[in-house]
Amino acid sequence: MAKIITGFCMGGLLILSSLSGFSQTTVSSKRSTITAIYSSQIGVREKTGHNDGLQVERYLQAVGLDKGYAWCAAFVKWSLLKGGETNAKTINGMAASCQRKESLVFYQSKWLTTPLPADVFCLYYKSLGRIGHTGFFDGWANKAMGTYHSVEGNTNDGGSRNGDGVYRRVRQINATHSISRWVL
């Protein structure tokens, strides 16, 4: 595999780095494409409030499910696949499948690297004893206050894990179980 040399100027000093197999331009382009895709879905709503409707059913098809099932993970998978992220094929209908253990950014209150738009968050519910909701990290709302913007499916204005559409919300990092990187 060819090595790609990239560089940038910092105070007149040229900094070079070597990347094996990936071009920064390709990664940035894919991340931007995925961000545009999931953002374009803000405002999609269920037809009758029962996990249905033309676009919701398209999301569910991405994980092999019919209408009527919770669809937050399906929305994540559909968006990633539409943007060309083939690793997302491993995501199923369960929110827990969106946690990518080999590429964690944040896990159980510990930062492992800096989050980027199109990274995927997961919320853990004690009442369920498992991860029960997922969506996209879409940048900091107020980093000092520990809040970030999200774009997520099957939620509502109140942040429910079983809502009626795709919304842009503000979430608390201290209520977040994990953030995973799918776009490598």
Side-chain angles (χ1 to χ4, degrees):
M1 197 169 292
K3 287 191 176 187
I4 297 166
I5 306 298
T6 61
F8 62 95
C9 262
M10 185 172 176
L13 178 65
L14 180 63
I15 309 294
L16 295 174
S17 64
S18 173
L19 302 169
S20 294
F22 292 103
S23 154
Q24 279 304 113
T25 304
T26 302
V27 172
S28 296
S29 176
K30 186 183 286 187
R31 186 173 296 282
S32 295
T33 298
I34 292 167
T35 300
I37 288 167
Y38 68 68
S39 295
S40 75
Q41 301 302 294
I42 296 169
V44 167
R45 297 293 183 265
E46 295 174 359
K47 183 177 180 182
T48 69
H50 294 99
N51 298 324
D52 61 356
L54 183 61
Q55 193 59 27
V56 170
E57 291 169 39
R58 286 183 182 139
Y59 305 146
L60 284 164
Q61 286 172 356
V63 295
L65 294 173
D66 293 323
K67 67 181 175 180
Y69 287 91
W71 52 276
C72 61
F75 171 70
V76 168
K77 181 175 184 173
W78 179 89
S79 298
L80 289 169
L81 290 175
K82 279 283 197 197
E85 188 50 63
T86 58
N87 290 323
K89 290 178 183 174
T90 61
I91 296 173
N92 60 40
M94 296 292 291
S97 69
C98 292
Q99 179 175 286
R100 192 166 193 236
K101 294 177 182 174
E102 63 272 17
S103 296
L104 290 167
V105 171
F106 176 83
Y107 183 66
Q108 295 182 335
S109 301
K110 294 181 185 137
W111 288 105
L112 305 170
T113 190
T114 303
L116 298 169
D119 286 342
V120 177
F121 75 86
C122 291
L123 303 179
Y124 185 91
Y125 292 84
K126 287 182 184 178
S127 62
L128 298 173
R130 63 175 172 82
I131 291 171
H133 188 63
T134 188
F136 289 99
F137 173 92
D138 197 47
W140 291 105
N142 186 327
K143 189 174 182 180
M145 297 296 292
T147 59
Y148 63 93
H149 292 286
S150 66
V151 176
E152 51 198 270
N154 203 28
T155 192
N156 59 22
D157 283 329
S160 171
R161 59 178 286 276
N162 191 16
D164 66 352
V166 178
Y167 290 78
R168 181 173 164 89
R169 304 202 65 261
V170 174
R171 293 269 181 196
Q172 297 280 333
I173 197 64
N174 65 2
T176 303
H177 178 71
S178 67
I179 300 175
S180 300
R181 179 143 304 148
W182 287 88
V183 182
L184 302 177

